[in-house]
Amino acid sequence: MTSEFMGPPWQADWTKGAEGNRNALPEPAQALVAAARAELVTAQDPYFLGIDADRGLAAGMSVEPVQSTRPRGEHILYFDYGRGWLRYHFTARATDPQIVIDECFWQ
């Protein structure tokens, strides 16, 4: 029996609201969202646990938990130097782990 590590790239899905918000953005902003999503699904640890765990992200991006008391709960990935964000949660199932993007915002 082989034990395969499920790792990046992670599966990602959008809630209907987040997908609608993403699709309503102008094309340059949609490109920023696509870049942020790409960083998220290729992250070794989608929780970004530890000090400076998000230092490998592209310029203008950072990640933090929504609640500091829940480090494995919902997170926010900021992009475009804080002008936009993706709020997401990670479902760490044994098979088919997945990132669900609950909110997409850009201003």
Side-chain angles (χ1 to χ4, degrees), residues 9 16 35 40 43 74-75 96:
K16 288 188 183 278
L40 184 58
E74 286 189 313
H75 277 65
D96 195 29

Side-chain angles (χ1 to χ4, degrees), residues 38-86:
E39 291 284 341
L40 184 58
V41 299
T42 59
Q44 192 65 33
D45 176 11
Y47 294 119
F48 293 91
L49 297 176
I51 298 171
D52 291 334
D54 61 354
R55 72 175 174 253
L57 291 173
M61 292 186 192
S62 63
V63 174
E64 66 182 35
V66 171
Q67 294 178 317
S68 62
T69 57
R70 297 189 63 219
R72 293 188 184 271
E74 286 189 313
H75 277 65
I76 297 178
L77 169 65
Y78 295 100
F79 61 93
D80 196 19
Y81 298 94
R83 291 187 64 199
W85 65 77
L86 300 176

